[in-house]
Amino acid sequence: MRRGLLALAMLLGLAWAQDRTQVLVYGGDWTDLITLDPQVVYEFTGVMIADNLYETLVRFEGNDLSTLRPGLAESWKVERGTTDWILTFKLRKGSRFSTGREVTAKDVVFSFERALALKGPGSFLFTEIAQLRPGATKALDPYTVEVRIPKTASPQSFLSILTFTLGGVVDSEEVQKNAKGGDFGKDFLTNNSAGSGPYRLVRWDRGNQVILEANPYARVKPKVPRVVLRYIQEPAVLRTALESGEIDIAEGLTPEGLRAIAANPRFKVVRAETLRLQYLGMNMKPGSPFSNPKVREAVRFAVNQDELIQGLLQGNAAKIQTFIPKGLLGYNPATPYKYDPARAKKLLAEAGYPQGLEFELLTSTGICGGGVPCPDVAAKLQADMARAGLKAKIRAIANAEVLATYRAQNHQMVLAGWSPDFPDPDGNATPWADYAARSLAWRNSYNDEVAAKLARQAALEADPEKRKALYKVLTEKVLREGPYVVLYQPAQPIGLSAKVEGFLKNPMMSVPLWQVSKQP
Amino acid sequence: MGAYILRRLFMVLFVGVGITFITFLIAQVIPIDPAAAALGENAREEQIQEFRQRYGLDKPILVQYALYLQRLLQLDLGRSLRTGRPVAEDLKEFFPATLELALAAFAVAVLLGLPAGVWAALRHNRLPDLLVRLMALLLGSTPVFFLAILLLDLLHRRLGLLPGPGRLDPFLIPPPPVTGLTTLDALLARDWGAFQDALAHLLLPAFVLGSASAALLARMTRAAMLEVLSQDYVRTAWAKGLSERQVVLRHALKNAALPVLTLLGSLMGGLLSGAVLTETIFSWPGLGRYVTQSATSLDFPAVMGVTLLVGLVYSLLNLLVDLLYALLDPRIRYA
């Protein structure tokens, strides 16, 4: 009897199993996922998923973050008004939400106002960078949206921000139906989707899996109708799951795991570009040895970037010394500083430290860009600098504590990372060069009025060529005078089954899952 | 007896308050700012201030503690700093997975440990006894993560006999969540395929988590049985010509059960709280993983919620064991 039941169960089990080419399983550490509400989400995983659930007016394609493409808007124009920039978007007809309703200008206005009202962690992009105010977005007719932002804001930055999930358009009727107590449907959209993207959210079991299914009304039909994101944190388990075919894509493999995968013809490795920069910050506050420009220059000559990238990072990073990452407008490929401990020593002597200089290097106990433990990066830097008489004492503490110390300007030298908040050079220029923005320049006591002015001027420049020229001057100035030593721009390697085609993770961490296909 | 239960229940409450106080103290000793942990690298000063205000982190510690207790009286465990959701809701979502795993591990421990212990005692100093003792030593001293990775590699990756990490094959459509226990939910949905798959996924982690307890239980049962078997009344039972089955079941086992029962209570509690490593390795979305993530992001309300829950379950299990004791052994009287 029991055996009979088991046999029956197995038979039924087979009958229930799905066609594996119709399901894409993506394994990784998704524990930062806390919401899928496009106007609230600000974490890597949440943004990556929400990007597949919602559409934006304009968007970027592939790895190119400098050319805007049509999204829900088929065309747009930017005009200079007397006090405002006027941006007008023409929506295409026939875009539909997963509820079947057509996307209209009313939904765009609702979504933008919703972003301002909810004040999510990313809302400063609208309120501060774009200086968007409530009521500034209007529906001129069902397919035309007008947005006004003050002359002091950059329309280029605003358009870039609009590619981000913050500008994702939600079904205003569906959301209002599910709103409670003036929450603009925030509770509802945390676990449900109401967008016009290629996928809709079916289920999210916290800590376990997220299941997406093709949105039946979407303009863009995904190649694989069902996507499952499986939470797998442990790298060894991730590798096992990839090798046994339980997952198709594995994010978070160790360098050894990746090497093994790359050597096996059943798998391949894709290197995703990032906009992240790993850098050293030197506190220039009065009295600090790093307030002396010669000491800062000595440090620049005392870092062996090539060995760091080739050795420790195994090539999973690009060499860069200026502060606008590769992939954005204004990227400056200049790398004038070569490892030269003798020259560094000389500079140090000229600065008044012939016996060398002792200082504290603050670092996180966690993982740095490129998947390498930060204490390892710090130890490598320590060894390089020691040959130049720069004696770093490493203090490795929890990342949260590093940040607290850094924000309080209580560091001497810090090993830190930075990712821009939106894909525009201003996402780096203002924080890195403008002391008044109270971000990195402020934390490192870098108060340079010329640099700040250049950053502001470049942000408002509408002509891309002139903008580029301004960023060249600014990046070179900060490279020589600033409080930073940019170490590298990491790439993120991802292992996948050879059957998976069309997978891409762009530098803003968005993954267009609808373009991915799976061979039998 | 009624007064005893009441007094013990009051003790459970006392333990609960103690737990909150100690975890609260620990949270204060750690010199790290939870706002910095929650908001990350790019956060601006105003955001941090706003966050501290929203979660009351700017208030003196005693005030924070009083507010916490006050909310606790209304069964409100506060909001998680990391997920922004009520901790109680998070616990509701993560606890069933841990419960399912702990129950399965408990079953493994009992089904393996008890018979092995009895068998070893009956074959004292002969081959079965040696075998059981050896296995108990091995399983009891193998680190959980090592055993987990070893078995995963062997049984899953190389031999393909058992499924890998997770609760269900990702290619299957999961049953609608009712209880949160995947096996039970699959049964409720009459989805035999999913049930079979969920059960298969449960085997390996349950064995890994339960094996050390099984080893402990086997040793304990063996010792208790040996002691009972040397008693006069057992010798009398043998002399009366009763079969081995009758002697063991009717006379020996019942009396050996008391110390074993005590162990079972604390084992179940230990399984609930000790699932951290197993859950991490098997990508099991339970409390263990939830609490590690909460701890690494300094999410104190969440850590306190989990600690409180596990502490209460532990206390209640102990209470249950003590009551069973009284039922099983009439010599024990509670004043």
Side-chain angles (χ1 to χ4, degrees), chain A residues 399-410:
Chain A
N399 196 40
E401 207 188 338
V402 173
L403 290 174
T405 313
Y406 193 14
R407 285 198 181 102
Q409 299 174 311
N410 277 338

Side-chain angles (χ1 to χ4, degrees), chain A residues 37 64 156 316 319 322 329 394:
Chain A
D37 185 329
D64 178 9
Q156 289 308 315
N316 282 324
K319 182 173 172 176
T322 49
L329 180 127
I394 297 176

Side-chain angles (χ1 to χ4, degrees), chain B residues 94-108:
Chain B
F94 285 92
F95 185 61
T98 297
L99 185 66
E100 187 178 36
L101 180 58
L103 285 174
F106 189 72
V108 166

Side-chain angles (χ1 to χ4, degrees), chain A residues 287-298:
Chain A
S288 153
F290 299 109
S291 62
N292 186 330
K294 290 211 163 154
V295 175
R296 296 200 300 278
E297 195 167 11

Side-chain angles (χ1 to χ4, degrees), chain A residues 259-307:
Chain A
R259 226 177 299 134
I261 296 286
N264 186 334
R266 283 173 53 222
F267 305 101
K268 56 188 173 188
V269 174
V270 165
R271 264 180 232 292
E273 292 173 22
T274 72
L275 296 181
R276 193 178 161 82
L277 294 178
Q278 200 68 48
Y279 69 95
L280 287 176
M282 299 175 276
N283 195 341
M284 291 169 60
K285 77 177 161 196
S288 153
F290 299 109
S291 62
N292 186 330
K294 290 211 163 154
V295 175
R296 296 200 300 278
E297 195 167 11
V299 176
R300 294 188 225 283
F301 280 113
V303 168
N304 194 338
Q305 232 186 335
D306 296 315
E307 267 186 28

